[in-house]
Amino acid sequence: MVAEPYIESEKLISNPSDRSQWTERAQGLLSWATSIWVLAIACIVVTLAAAGPPRVWDYKLNRRWLYLFEPDLVWFVQHILDPIAGQAVCLPVLAITAIVLARKRRSWRPIVFAIAVEAAFYLGIGSLKVLLARPATTLHDPRFFQGGLIDIGGRGISYPSGHAAEAVLIYGAVAYLIARYGKVSTRTVRLLCWGVAAVSVNSAVVSFALGWHWATDLIGGLLIGGFFLRLLIIADRRIPDPRT
C-alpha cells in the first residue's frame, strides 16, 4: 500500500507533459541567460572586477596547477587539448562549414557570417586585448594598462582570453550555421550546443591548469565571446536574405 502512492507519484513526475514544461523552463532560462543585455552586463561586471580590488584573487589563484599535481599530463594538455580552441583548428572548421552550407543553400550568407565572426574576433576582442593591456601571468602583475602589445608583445594582452573567446565565438558560430542553414534535427542542434559548451570548458580549464591566464581572463573571454556571437546572430536574423 505504501508502494502504490509512490508509483503513482513517479508516474506524475515522469509525465511527458511535465517533462516538456521543465524543458521549456530550462530553455527559457538559458535564452534569458544568453540574451544580449545579460551578457553585456556580465561582461562589464567581470571586467570591472578584473580591474578592481577583486583582482587580488587572480593573483592568489594563479599557479601552474597541472605542473604541480600531474606533470605527466602537461604535454597532452598543452599540445592536444589546448589547440582545439586555437585558430589553426577552429578557423578551418568554421570555413569548411560555411562553404559547404553556402553551396547547399546557394547563398553567400553563411560565408558572410563566418567572415563577420572572424572580424568580430580580431577587431572586437583583439581591440579589447590591446586597449586593456593586461600583462600575462608570467609577469606577476594582474593590473590593466601595465602591459601592451608594442612593449611586451603577446604577453602584454592577456584580457580577455583569446582561446576562451574563440571557443564560444567560433564554435558557437559553427553550431549556429548548421542549425540555421543546415537541415538537421533538434537533437543534433542540442548535441552541437553541448559540444560548444564542452570545448569552451576545456579551453578555460586547460589555460587555468597550465597557468597561462588569470581566472578573470578566462571568464571574461567566455562572456565576451558569447556577447559577440549573440550580436552577430541577432544581425543575421534581422537582415533579410535577398534570395527570399
Side-chain angles (χ1 to χ4, degrees):
M1 294 180 65
V2 176
E4 290 178 359
Y6 177 78
I7 294 172
E8 289 179 0
S9 64
E10 280 292 293
K11 289 181 179 179
L12 289 173
I13 293 173
S14 61
N15 190 298
S17 61
D18 291 339
R19 288 200 299 269
S20 64
Q21 288 179 359
W22 279 106
T23 301
E24 289 178 2
R25 290 178 183 176
Q27 290 176 343
L29 180 61
L30 180 63
S31 179
W32 174 82
T34 58
S35 65
I36 192 71
W37 294 112
V38 171
L39 287 172
I41 292 171
C43 290
I44 293 172
V45 169
V46 171
T47 303
L48 291 176
R55 69 173 179 267
V56 68
W57 287 103
D58 274 326
Y59 190 84
K60 290 181 177 181
L61 290 172
N62 178 49
R63 296 287 187 280
R64 302 177 75 183
W65 297 106
L66 196 59
Y67 290 88
L68 293 174
F69 293 103
E70 202 61 52
D72 292 339
L73 289 177
V74 170
W75 187 93
F76 174 78
V77 171
Q78 184 174 341
H79 294 91
I80 304 298
L81 295 183
D82 181 67
I84 293 174
Q87 284 283 297
V89 176
C90 65
L91 179 56
V93 172
L94 176 63
I96 292 171
T97 302
I99 292 170
V100 170
L101 291 173
R103 286 177 60 86
K104 286 186 176 181
R105 294 280 300 217
R106 295 183 180 180
S107 170
W108 286 95
R109 284 182 75 94
I111 294 177
V112 171
F113 185 82
I115 293 173
V117 166
E118 276 297 299
F121 175 71
Y122 281 105
L123 299 179
I125 297 169
S127 296
L128 282 173
K129 290 173 73 70
V130 173
L131 177 65
L132 296 176
R134 190 185 209 185
T137 56
T138 53
L139 299 177
H140 308 289
D141 187 354
R143 293 176 298 171
F144 284 0
F145 313 117
Q146 302 301 312
L149 181 62
I150 297 176
D151 296 333
I152 309 178
R155 295 194 303 162
I157 51 172
S158 182
Y159 184 93
S161 165
H163 267 40
E166 280 178 314
V168 177
L169 178 59
I170 307 297
Y171 286 106
V174 170
Y176 170 74
L177 285 173
I178 294 173
R180 182 164 176 80
Y181 296 105
K183 296 180 179 179
V184 296
S185 65
T186 303
R187 185 172 183 274
T188 300
V189 174
R190 190 178 296 115
L191 289 174
L192 288 170
C193 292
W194 278 110
V196 174
V199 171
S200 301
V201 171
N202 171 75
S203 174
V205 171
V206 165
S207 292
F208 183 75
L210 292 172
W212 287 353
H213 272 287
W214 308 105
T216 50
D217 290 350
L218 300 167
I219 299 172
L222 295 174
L223 290 171
I224 293 170
F227 172 79
F228 278 104
L229 175 62
R230 175 61 73 180
L231 201 63
L232 292 172
I233 289 174
I234 292 173
D236 184 65
R237 287 177 174 174
R238 291 185 178 180
I239 297 174
D241 188 345
R243 292 179 64 255
T244 59

